[in-house]
Structures are given as structure tokens and as C-alpha cells.
Amino acid sequence: MTRRLRTLVTGGAGFIGAHLCRRLLGDGRHVICVDNFSSGARRHIEPLLERDDFDFIEHDVCTPLTLDVDEIYNLACPASPVQYQKEPVQTIRTNVLGMINMLDLAHRCGAKILQASTSEVYGDPLVHPQTEDYWGNVNPIGPRACYDEGKRSAETLCFDYRRQFGVRIKVARIFNTYGPMMRPNDGRVVPAFILQALAGEDITIFGDGRQTRAFCFVSDMVDGLVRLMATPDEVTGPINLGNPVEHTIEALARRIIGLVGSDSNLTLSPAPVDDPRQRLPDISRARAVLSWSPHVDLDAGLAQTIAYFRE
Ligand code: NAD
Ligand code: UDP
């Protein structure tokens, strides 16, 4: 009998991680989920705990971990600006020490490791749409730097572990992703607007609402991550994963109001420091290398997300 592949998912009790754990179990993997519940939730993994092909370890990735695994998806890190700025030092520790610990683990076991990097490595981009060869425009001392520079350092570490030790790495640059199992109060724009619309409250737009983002539904994102992990060893990335359709934040608010059937009004409040003005992935590389592009359009994805939050 062939042995099941053992896959570690750090941050597996978070939003994307919880969907990824389910997908990997469906693909026949033995999944080991590691999380410290700093921005994740026990309820996301509770239904999986009774399975014998699922293990959970409550652990902070800033402390080394000894396990025997074949693949590592390193997702541990808060993703919402509100969450990652609450404890900026812990955010950068997670990105640097956590990354070193997971790369050391991959090196010891000969495992492949996929790093969940981010479009934030492009900062407030001067190139639009963003291609992987753009080096970015990041403020190294601003309030977002714990995350942006942390993720940039994590990418550096991946490539240095590959150059120095031959570790098999994959770097995905994830653009804004949304869907069921986002935490209602985590501050990101999609849950914030849906909850305000459902409550009939004003929708709080930061800035003038003309800043743009591109929103990828979580099932498409998980599929991109799994495809990247399955590529031959010479494919390292970085590879942009995101939905290549750009929306202003005001248009997103109006769309959510329409889908909810709410009579909420829009209110403007000051933009957060260093809030990027525009964000759009060029996914040519993902299309060519992974044969991947998103399938779920914004209305369909928002409808599923609204149904989740209604419950
Ligand atoms: P999330 O906050 O829902 O999940 C992150 C998970 O990591 C949480 O369960 C949290 O408890 C856990 N965690 C944080 N620090 C940890 C630590 N030190 N040790 C162990 N566990 C820790 O965020 P998400 O949206 O699911 O994002 C997952 C990953 O994808 C993150 O690395 C994030 O940076 C990246 N990403 C997400 C998006 C997005 O739009 N969702 C965009 C770009 C990149
Ligand atoms: N945003 C907003 N109202 C909110 C939350 C966010 O207008 O209640 C804006 C935010 O300023 C940013 C965009 O929505 O321009 C996306 O914010 P989010 O925190 O979801 O993601 P990120 O800035 O990391 O892309």
C-alpha cells in the first residue's frame, strides 16, 4: 500500500488555511494543521478533528517544530491590516522566525515548501497591473511594513534556502481573497461591508473609494496554491495568484448593497496610512505555468459569502 502524503498547513485554522485543509483531505492527503489561533478560529477546524487523516497542533511557528512531512504550506501570518498592525513585532517575528523554522523543517525532511506571499510586496505599486518582475514600492518604516517587509524577507529567505541548501521552494503572491470563513470582525473590506449591509448600517469607505482591488474567491485561490505545489522542482515562482478584474472600493460597496438588498448609505472616513491606491495582478505566468485562472466571478462569490454571514 502506498503511504499517504503528509502535508503540513501552518495557519490552517485561518480563512484560506481552513479551506486548504479541506481541499487537501479531499485529495487524499494526511493533513497536519498548525495554528496559534491568533487570527484564526477553532470552529474552522473543529469538524475535522475527529478524522484520523487530520492532526491539529496548537503551536506558534516562531518556535521550531519537529515533524516528518512531505509538503509544507506556510500560511501562518495574520492577513488583515487591522490584525497584523495590532502586534506588529509579532507579525514580523512570524514572517521571519516562522519562515526560518519552516524552511529548516523542510530542509531536515526534504519536504517541498510553499510560501503564502502577498501582493503587498508590491506596496503602493508604480507598475500596473503588477507583474512578478516588478520589485515594488514599499515604505519600510510605515505601519504596514511589519507585514510588507516581513513577507519580502520571507521571500528572500525562501530563495536563500534554495541557493544555499537546495530546499524545494514555491512562492505564491496572493492578491485579495475572500469567501466564507473570513472572521466577521477581522477588519477586511469584504466582511466589513457585508456585515454593515446586513445590519442596514452605513458602509464605511476609507479614503475616497476610488482605490482599487481585485477580489479572488477562496476556492479559486486554493486551487492555484495546490497547482503550484504540484509543479516540478524547477518552478519556484514567485507567481501571482489573484482575480484579474479590478474594482474600486466604492463599486464593491454598491455591489454588496445591491446583492444584500440593503438600504445602507456610504460614508467616507480618512484613508489608512500607506493604503495602496491600486492593485491588479497580471496572471500571465499563472496561466502559462499552472494552467490556472479564476472561475468564480465577483457576484457569485459575494453571494456565497453573504449567505455564510447571514447564518
Ligand atoms: P488569517 O488571518 O485568516 O489566517 C492566518 C492564520 O495564521 C490564522 O489562523 C492565525 O491564527 C495563524 N497564525 C498567525 N500567526 C501565527 C503563528 N505565529 N504561529 C501559528 N499560527 C499563526 O489570514 P488568511 O486570509 O487566511 O491568510 C493566510 C495567508 O495568506 C497569510 O500568510 C496571508 O499573509 C496570505 N495572504 C492572504 C491574502 C488574503 O486576501 N486573504 C492576501 C495575500 C496573502
Ligand atoms: N476598506 C474600506 N473600509 C473598510 C475596510 C477596508 O474602505 O471597512 C478599504 C481599505 O482602505 C483598502 C481596501 O478597502 O483600500 C481593501 O482593504 P483590506 O483591508 O480588505 O485589504 P488590503 O488593504 O490589505 O488590500
Side-chain angles (χ1 to χ4, degrees):
M1 210 176 78
T2 52
R3 175 179 156 285
R4 271 176 198 269
L5 282 181
R6 289 167 59 82
T7 302
L8 170 63
V9 180
T10 76
F15 157 54
I16 299 177
H19 287 273
L20 178 62
C21 287
R22 284 162 176 75
R23 163 69 191 263
L24 293 168
L25 289 167
D27 289 351
R29 298 286 199 273
H30 185 113
V31 173
I32 300 144
C33 168
V34 164
D35 205 292
N36 68 353
F37 294 127
S38 54
S39 61
R42 189 176 286 276
R43 67 175 181 283
H44 292 161
I45 52 156
E46 207 101 63
L48 308 178
L49 291 174
E50 284 183 1
R51 299 177 63 129
D52 51 15
D53 51 1
F54 183 81
D55 295 309
F56 175 69
I57 306 169
E58 187 168 347
H59 176 85
D60 185 325
V61 292
C62 298
T63 304
L65 186 65
T66 304
L67 283 172
D68 183 19
V69 292
D70 303 291
E71 299 171 336
I72 303 169
Y73 289 87
N74 188 38
L75 272 62
C77 179
S80 146
V82 173
Q83 297 291 327
Y84 68 64
Q85 290 174 28
K86 252 196 322 209
E87 289 188 84
V89 176
Q90 173 63 8
T91 299
I92 198 152
R93 276 167 65 85
T94 298
N95 277 314
V96 176
L97 285 181
M99 187 79 251
I100 288 176
N101 288 331
M102 291 309 114
L103 284 161
D104 281 339
L105 177 63
H107 186 208
R108 280 199 303 275
C109 336
K112 284 195 268 194
I113 179 164
L114 184 150
Q115 165 62 359
S117 189
T118 170
S119 56
E120 291 280 331
V121 301
Y122 302 123
D124 194 6
L126 306 177
V127 166
H128 194 73
Q130 292 78 57
T131 48
E132 291 88 347
D133 52 12
Y134 174 49
W135 290 354
N137 176 37
V138 172
N139 173 1
I141 57 167
R144 296 175 86 97
C146 58
Y147 184 76
D148 301 5
E149 297 289 18
K151 289 281 187 181
R152 287 167 67 94
S153 308
E155 288 198 8
T156 306
L157 283 162
C158 287
F159 282 86
D160 282 340
Y161 268 72
R162 177 177 165 87
R163 278 186 283 265
Q164 195 170 339
F165 305 120
V167 172
R168 294 180 295 155
I169 59 150
K170 315 272 176 200
V171 174
R173 290 190 179 149
I174 300 174
F175 284 65
N176 294 62
T177 300
Y178 72 100
M181 291 201 278
M182 293 185 93
R183 279 212 321 193
N185 56 351
D186 92 350
R188 284 183 273 188
V189 68
V190 170
F193 284 4
I194 290 177
L195 288 175
Q196 288 164 344
L198 287 172
E201 293 167 1
D202 285 357
I203 306 272
T204 52
I205 292 186
F206 302 157
D208 59 11
R210 289 197 305 237
Q211 71 271 37
T212 67
R213 295 292 186 274
F215 297 97
C216 185
F217 192 63
V218 64
S219 57
D220 282 328
M221 181 55 59
V222 164
D223 188 51
L225 295 173
V226 169
R227 281 172 189 253
L228 177 55
M229 183 63 103
T231 52
D233 290 348
E234 60 272 18
V235 178
T236 58
I239 292 198
N240 288 340
L241 295 177
N243 195 314
V245 183
E246 189 174 14
H247 304 271
T248 66
I249 294 302
E250 182 184 335
L252 174 75
R254 293 194 186 286
R255 202 177 270 236
I256 288 174
I257 289 172
L259 287 167
V260 168
S262 159
D263 52 12
S264 293
N265 297 311
L266 307 185
T267 57
L268 300 184
S269 50
V273 177
D274 294 338
D275 197 22
R277 288 297 301 164
Q278 51 182 8
R279 192 60 80 53
L280 180 68
D282 179 317
I283 61 163
S284 313
R285 195 179 281 183
R287 285 187 205 275
V289 177
L290 311 178
S291 304
W292 176 88
S293 62
H295 294 298
V296 182
D297 72 23
L298 187 60
D299 281 348
L302 285 176
Q304 287 191 52
T305 313
I306 291 166
Y308 170 81
F309 282 112
R310 269 191 209 281
E311 280 175 22

